[in-house]
Amino acid sequence: MANNITISLDGLTKRFDSFTAVNNISFSLGKGEVLGFLGPNGAGKSTTMKMLTGYLPITQGRASICGYDVVSSPLSAQERIGYLPEGAPLYGDMSSIEFLRFVAEVRGFRGAERNQKVENAVSKLELGSVINKPIETLSKGFKRRVGFAQAILHDPDVLILDEPTDGLDPNQKHQVRSLIMEMAPDKAIVISTHLLEEVSAVCSRAIIISNGNLVFDGTPKDFAKLGPLDEAFRELTSEKSIKKRSNKKRSIKTRPKKENR
Amino acid sequence: MSGIGVISKRELLAYFSTPLAYVFIVIFLALSGSLTFFMGSFFDRGQADLNSFFSFHPWLYLFLIPAVAMRLWAEERKTGTIELLLTLPIADWQVVVGKFLAAWLFIAISLVLTFPLWITVNWLGQPDNGVILASYIGSFIMAGGYLAIGSCLSALTKNQVIAFILSAVVCFLFLMSGVEIVQAFFQPWAPNYILDAVNSLSFLTHFNGIIRGVIDFRDVVYFASIIGVFLYVNAIIINLKKGS
Ligand SMILES: Nc1ncnc2c1ncn2[C@@H]1O[C@H](COP(=O)(O)OP(=O)(O)OP(=O)(O)O)[C@@H](O)[C@H]1O
Ligand SMILES: [Mg+2]
């Protein structure tokens, strides 16, 4: 039962001095699920992802990846994660191929195995035409794809993608989404996004956070039932509704318990 | 190749992917050569040795090594690649050591490229090549001390210029604590053990021992501890500064 749980957050909290960026967030995600992680600017999406990937220290609570606690066994957790940080930072002075080889080597692949992993990622992201150009000379879309290639190179169990389609043209958005859906069956995927229609298009589950608090957890269909998407989003994340809910000390959870897991 | 080796390789290639590396090497060769011949009165001394060449190294390093070290962490923090790097399955200390080794190797390459000077003295006379070798090794080890300071302080900021100035200042303090003026300042009032402590903290004191041709175990331990301590602090700073 529990062995299908790949990502688990339990009371995850992050405070910067006195400011609470992420407040007591709990959920778990199994293989085959694609989670759309939503919330207004500054809601705490990236901060949550940074804690999951072992970059930021956790103030309170726990998180684990495939059973490995991200604080006590960070390297085992990181081996199982592919991460695309916000804005897809890359080494601009390297070419895509050099960069992907570097990441593959840090992940422990050598020789033929390394080349095969890199080739695989290059063909999946269709990077062949730009492979020898310095990354800093690439267009935004290609840079994002290089970042994506880096994340999927080792065929990880968990993908954490911070705004993977941000700034891409409609064609490339479509391509990235198909890629995500193609990989979905045997991975647990978290994508943060500001595009509500993206959630209906690729996600099997949606979580909305606002001011660090979880305010919605359910399927995209449940979310759509709340009304037109952006109105529902505005309503859930408005100051008033957060106050109302925090008085009740509860957040909306329409997600049915899955017994079959 | 271990994780450290992978990091070092990337870092070393990064040096040579910008003009900075070549500019550095040219400046290093030009300065060390001209200082030796003109200010060090290489010819007037009438001795076939490289003493004057090596005696300028502590001063040359004061500016050149912070320039090599400044980008190590400041640039990663500025471009955000630090997040990518530190979420890969490699321990922080391995990244710190890997980056340091790359920069150190780069200094080693620059030092090796001063070989024409060595050929010149051997052509002019019969120098004690054992002393010269010891001096090269000593200079390299001392460079490691400067570099560890530079790497550590580069982790404090996103701004390479600030990183450069900070490291130059701290290296200057470590250098100056052995100079006579500073010693003279402590002499009148400080007890002997403070005087000794200040003196023994200096790069100069330890380096001057080495260029006389004796690699004293204590000098090596001194530079090794400087490297160890500053790289350790380097790792701590990176951890503390991750979020900002
Ligand atoms: N290092 C930091 N120090 C102080 N506050 C921070 C730090 N990092 C993030 N914050 C704050 O935490 C909050 C959450 O930021 P976060 O980047 O997680 O938001 P987000 O949901 O990803 O927003 P966006 O949609 O704009 O990317 C913001 O108010 C931000 O200012
Ligand atoms: Mg964000």
Side-chain angles (χ1 to χ4, degrees):
Chain A
M1 189 196 125
N3 52 12
N4 189 39
I5 299 297
T6 346
I7 307 178
S8 135
L9 285 71
D10 183 13
L12 202 65
T13 299
K14 178 72 194 179
R15 275 188 282 275
F16 295 107
D17 299 322
S18 61
F19 173 75
T20 307
V22 174
N23 188 16
N24 198 17
I25 300 242
S26 306
F27 63 83
S28 53
L29 205 66
K31 245 187 196 153
E33 286 193 273
V34 180
L35 171 68
F37 203 38
L38 301 164
N41 291 127
K45 303 181 293 293
S46 301
T47 306
T48 306
M49 291 178 156
K50 284 175 189 178
M51 287 191 283
L52 278 180
T53 52
Y55 181 64
L56 276 185
I58 293 170
T59 310
Q60 237 170 57
R62 306 157 55 90
S64 68
I65 303 287
C66 304
Y68 293 97
D69 189 282
V70 300
V71 176
S72 59
S73 25
L75 299 187
S76 304
Q78 284 163 348
E79 275 169 21
R80 288 160 178 83
I81 302 177
Y83 178 38
L84 177 68
E86 191 166 27
L90 302 163
Y91 292 107
D93 53 0
M94 300 176 101
S95 68
S96 314
I97 185 94
E98 286 170 338
F99 173 70
L100 293 175
R101 282 186 186 144
F102 164 69
V103 173
E105 283 176 7
V106 176
R107 290 198 174 274
F109 303 113
R110 297 288 181 276
E113 195 185 14
R114 178 199 73 173
N115 294 342
Q116 183 248 317
K117 298 270 177 200
V118 169
E119 247 168 58
N120 217 338
V122 164
S123 74
K124 267 202 178 127
L125 273 302
E126 294 173 22
L127 289 170
S129 59
V130 298
I131 206 159
N132 288 313
K133 287 193 191 167
I135 292 175
E136 62 198 355
T137 65
L138 300 183
S139 72
K140 194 166 170 181
F142 269 116
K143 281 183 188 155
R144 195 57 51 98
R145 276 149 70 175
V146 174
F148 209 121
Q150 163 276 129
I152 62 163
L153 178 133
H154 54 301
D155 194 20
D157 290 332
V158 171
L159 265 184
I160 296 180
L161 310 169
D162 203 346
E163 304 194 18
T165 57
D166 175 47
L168 299 189
D169 70 39
N171 298 340
Q172 303 215 346
K173 269 189 190 133
H174 178 77
Q175 202 188 354
V176 166
R177 285 174 194 167
S178 348
L179 195 65
I180 290 174
M181 286 196 286
E182 188 186 311
M183 293 187 299
D186 59 343
K187 296 190 194 315
I189 303 180
V190 183
I191 55 173
S192 81
T193 178
H194 288 296
L195 305 169
L196 300 175
E197 81 274 5
E198 190 155 285
V199 177
S200 341
V202 296
C203 300
S204 62
R205 184 168 162 193
I207 281 182
I208 304 180
I209 59 171
S210 179
N211 289 324
N213 296 292
L214 197 151
V215 295
F216 178 88
D217 181 355
T219 64
K221 275 207 189 99
D222 296 329
F223 182 43
K225 275 187 209 139
L226 300 178
L229 292 183
D230 40 354
E231 266 173 45
F233 181 83
R234 258 200 310 279
E235 165 62 20
L236 281 168
T237 57
S238 70
E239 293 276 314
K240 253 197 309 203
S241 83
I242 287 168
K243 274 208 193 95
K244 210 162 62 196
R245 261 193 310 279
S246 71
N247 287 340
K248 281 195 273 172
K249 294 270 180 214
R250 287 206 49 192
S251 55
I252 301 176
K253 281 203 180 171
T254 56
R255 184 178 153 76
K257 285 252 167 2
K258 287 197 179 169
E259 278 83 19
N260 56 348
R261 291 194 173 266
Chain B
M1 195 170 37
S2 71
I4 294 178
V6 175
I7 300 287
S8 293
K9 191 177 82 179
R10 196 210 78 79
E11 206 64 44
L12 194 62
L13 289 177
Y15 274 115
F16 288 101
S17 74
T18 66
L20 184 81
Y22 304 99
V23 171
F24 173 87
I25 290 178
V26 167
I27 291 181
F28 180 69
L29 295 183
L31 272 182
S32 58
S34 56
L35 284 174
T36 307
F37 286 113
F38 300 115
M39 285 180 67
S41 33
F42 179 76
F43 294 113
D44 302 344
R45 290 172 65 235
Q47 279 179 10
D49 63 28
L50 283 180
N51 236 325
S52 50
F53 167 66
F54 286 112
S55 63
F56 285 114
H57 281 197
W59 305 97
L60 270 180
Y61 286 169
L62 192 54
F63 297 100
L64 291 180
I65 296 210
V68 172
M70 64 185 185
R71 51 167 290 285
L72 282 179
W73 290 99
E75 187 164 276
E76 299 265 2
R77 294 195 47 205
K78 183 165 183 164
T79 58
T81 45
I82 188 168
E83 186 172 346
L84 192 90
L85 189 59
L86 297 183
T87 53
L88 288 173
I90 181 168
D92 294 2
W93 70 267
Q94 289 183 307
V95 182
V96 170
V97 172
K99 278 175 171 278
F100 170 79
L101 287 181
W104 211 11
L105 199 58
F106 176 69
I107 305 283
I109 294 170
S110 314
L111 271 176
V112 167
L113 287 177
T114 62
F115 71 92
L117 274 174
W118 174 72
I119 293 177
T120 309
V121 280
N122 272 282
W123 180 62
L124 289 174
Q126 259 112 40
D128 184 338
N129 280 320
V131 174
I132 292 180
L133 182 65
S135 307
Y136 264 115
I137 293 174
S139 177
F140 175 63
I141 297 177
M142 178 174 67
Y146 280 91
L147 203 54
I149 294 177
S151 173
C152 175
L153 296 175
S154 147
L156 274 178
T157 166
K158 292 180 183 177
N159 185 323
Q160 296 196 27
V161 177
I162 294 177
F164 173 84
I165 294 170
L166 273 179
S167 345
V169 168
V170 173
C171 290
F172 184 66
L173 295 178
F174 269 94
L175 189 58
M176 288 306 280
S177 64
V179 173
E180 271 168 43
I181 327 168
V182 178
Q183 292 285 308
F185 167 77
F186 282 100
Q187 201 110 47
W189 55 273
N192 262 340
Y193 64 88
I194 290 194
L195 205 61
D196 285 347
V198 170
N199 191 26
S200 70
L201 258 187
S202 171
F203 283 3
L204 220 47
T205 316
H206 293 274
F207 184 60
N208 285 341
I210 294 176
I211 54 173
R212 265 183 255 114
V214 262
I215 299 188
D216 189 328
F217 184 63
R218 280 165 300 179
D219 296 329
V220 176
V221 167
Y222 165 77
F223 285 118
S225 335
I226 291 275
I227 294 172
V229 167
F230 276 93
L231 290 189
Y232 183 70
V233 176
N234 192 344
I236 293 177
I237 291 176
I238 285 158
N239 246 307
L240 289 179
K241 285 257 167 189
K242 266 179 184 172
S244 48

